[in-house]
Amino acid sequence: MLSKKDIVFLQSDASYSEKNKFASISVYDTYQNKFYSNDIFKIKNSTQAEFYALIFSIKIANKNKYKNVIFVYDCNSLDIESLTQFCKTKCDFYSFQFLWLPRTFLLQTDELARTNLKQLIKKYDFNLTDEELIITYKKSDSRKILLSVFNYLDDTFINEKKAMEIYLENKYSLSRLQKIRIQNQDIFRFIYHMLDVDEKQKFYAFFSTIMPTIENSLTFLKQPKKIFLAEILRDILSKLRLKKDILKSK
């Protein structure tokens, strides 16, 4: 049990990818001898990543109800004043201090952040050729492909999303389908050519009920150019990044 006099040191660090604009942040809790990690996206630079790592450290200390805390970090350009105000107004510490130390004092925390970033890059890096990206995506099970498209669709695709929802429920009647008016066939053509053979036939039967004009349509059935598929796929994956609903690229 911690006493009111005990001091807990928490080390924080971040590893940032300039190319992908995301980072992995890590915190080492010396009292619990435990590491914490998190991933953050849409980060402008490494300084911002380090700032978020320090905030992560503060939140861990507050959640664990530590009363006397020293937050150790290695980036000397952080806005410590704003974090000090945050601790005073949002946390229940008896005392706290921010301590800058060179990276050599945070080697384990730094190494964990770097290792996690490497894994993150493998998962979210879209710098594959169109063909590589399409092949990787098509290796996923059909439901994951369908869900990724469903989650990608927003309110500008109301009818398309409704049709996807009905298909995913796998409970639909002819009368229910005929009432749906599709504005954009491209997304359904994309789905059709991404699914495996069995699911593809089932999906074709479903969609041709909504859009009878596609039956035996060479435009719909012909394998699209890779650039057509890849453009839609990259848009889907990009919009789903924050939801972490993305396929491993390698």
Side-chain angles (χ1 to χ4, degrees), residues 9 54 120 130 133 137 153 159:
F9 289 79
L54 202 46
L120 196 64
D130 290 350
L133 191 64
Y137 188 69
L153 296 173
N159 290 337

Side-chain angles (χ1 to χ4, degrees), residues 165-211:
E165 186 175 15
I166 292 172
Y167 185 79
L168 286 164
E169 287 175 356
N170 201 26
K171 296 177 182 178
Y172 44 85
S173 63
L174 185 62
S175 59
R176 188 180 180 190
L177 296 180
Q178 289 176 334
K179 295 177 181 178
I180 300 176
R181 297 291 179 266
I182 299 300
Q183 302 295 323
N184 188 328
Q185 290 187 32
D186 282 350
I187 195 68
F188 293 97
R189 186 175 175 223
F190 168 83
I191 294 169
Y192 173 77
H193 288 282
M194 287 296 180
L195 297 174
D196 61 40
V197 176
D198 292 339
E199 192 74 30
K200 179 181 287 188
Q201 296 309 312
K202 179 183 173 185
F203 186 80
Y204 179 71
F206 167 83
F207 189 58
S208 61
T209 305
I210 299 176
M211 296 285 296

Side-chain angles (χ1 to χ4, degrees), residues 34-50:
K34 180 178 179 180
F35 287 93
Y36 296 84
S37 297
N38 204 358
D39 301 325
I40 48 177
F41 299 83
K42 292 188 176 180
I43 303 300
K44 296 179 180 178
N45 50 51
S46 59
T47 300
Q48 188 180 50
E50 296 281 357

Side-chain angles (χ1 to χ4, degrees), residues 15-242:
S15 189
Y16 171 69
S17 170
E18 175 67 33
K19 179 181 69 174
N20 295 287
K21 303 299 181 184
F22 54 56
S24 181
I25 58 178
S26 296
V27 171
Y28 175 48
D29 180 336
T30 59
Y31 174 68
Q32 294 186 340
N33 190 27
K34 180 178 179 180
F35 287 93
Y36 296 84
S37 297
N38 204 358
D39 301 325
I40 48 177
F41 299 83
K42 292 188 176 180
I43 303 300
K44 296 179 180 178
N45 50 51
S46 59
T47 300
Q48 188 180 50
E50 296 281 357
F51 187 78
Y52 278 120
L54 202 46
I55 291 177
F56 187 39
S57 180
I58 294 168
K59 289 182 176 180
I60 290 169
N62 199 43
K63 183 178 180 181
N64 290 343
K65 298 182 179 180
Y66 297 150
K67 297 305 178 184
N68 302 291
V69 195
I70 295 179
F71 299 105
V72 184
Y73 62 101
D74 65 1
C75 178
N76 58 12
S77 57
L78 299 184
D79 181 8
I80 298 301
E81 184 176 343
S82 66
L83 293 177
T84 299
Q85 291 301 314
F86 179 84
C87 289
K88 289 180 178 179
T89 57
K90 303 294 183 181
C91 303
D92 297 320
F93 305 135
Y94 292 145
S95 67
F96 64 89
Q97 179 183 343
F98 293 98
L99 176 63
W100 178 88
L101 289 176
R103 182 165 296 175
T104 51
F105 288 88
L106 292 83
L107 290 179
Q108 285 183 297
T109 311
D110 175 67
E111 180 60 30
L112 179 61
R114 289 175 182 272
T115 300
N116 288 344
L117 180 65
K118 290 178 183 178
Q119 296 302 316
L120 196 64
I121 289 173
K122 286 183 179 180
K123 187 175 181 180
Y124 292 96
D125 193 345
F126 300 150
N127 290 327
L128 304 174
T129 66
D130 290 350
E131 186 173 5
E132 288 172 333
L133 191 64
I134 292 167
I135 290 172
T136 301
Y137 188 69
K138 290 181 73 171
K139 287 180 181 178
S140 299
D141 64 83
S142 295
R143 186 163 182 85
K144 187 166 186 179
I145 290 174
L146 291 163
L147 283 172
S148 68
V149 176
F150 177 77
N151 289 326
Y152 155 75
L153 296 173
D154 57 26
D155 290 341
T156 61
F157 297 94
I158 294 176
N159 290 337
E160 288 79 2
K161 190 156 189 171
K162 183 178 180 181
M164 287 293 302
E165 186 175 15
I166 292 172
Y167 185 79
L168 286 164
E169 287 175 356
N170 201 26
K171 296 177 182 178
Y172 44 85
S173 63
L174 185 62
S175 59
R176 188 180 180 190
L177 296 180
Q178 289 176 334
K179 295 177 181 178
I180 300 176
R181 297 291 179 266
I182 299 300
Q183 302 295 323
N184 188 328
Q185 290 187 32
D186 282 350
I187 195 68
F188 293 97
R189 186 175 175 223
F190 168 83
I191 294 169
Y192 173 77
H193 288 282
M194 287 296 180
L195 297 174
D196 61 40
V197 176
D198 292 339
E199 192 74 30
K200 179 181 287 188
Q201 296 309 312
K202 179 183 173 185
F203 186 80
Y204 179 71
F206 167 83
F207 189 58
S208 61
T209 305
I210 299 176
M211 296 285 296
T213 55
I214 71 159
E215 285 199 75
N216 301 317
S217 166
L218 292 179
T219 301
F220 190 88
L221 295 173
K222 185 179 179 181
Q223 179 70 27
K225 293 181 178 179
K226 292 184 179 69
I227 191 171
F228 168 84
L229 297 174
E231 184 177 351
I232 295 176
L233 178 52
R234 290 180 190 279
D235 195 31
I236 290 171
L237 296 180
S238 179
K239 289 188 178 179
L240 294 181
R241 291 179 86 152
L242 295 184

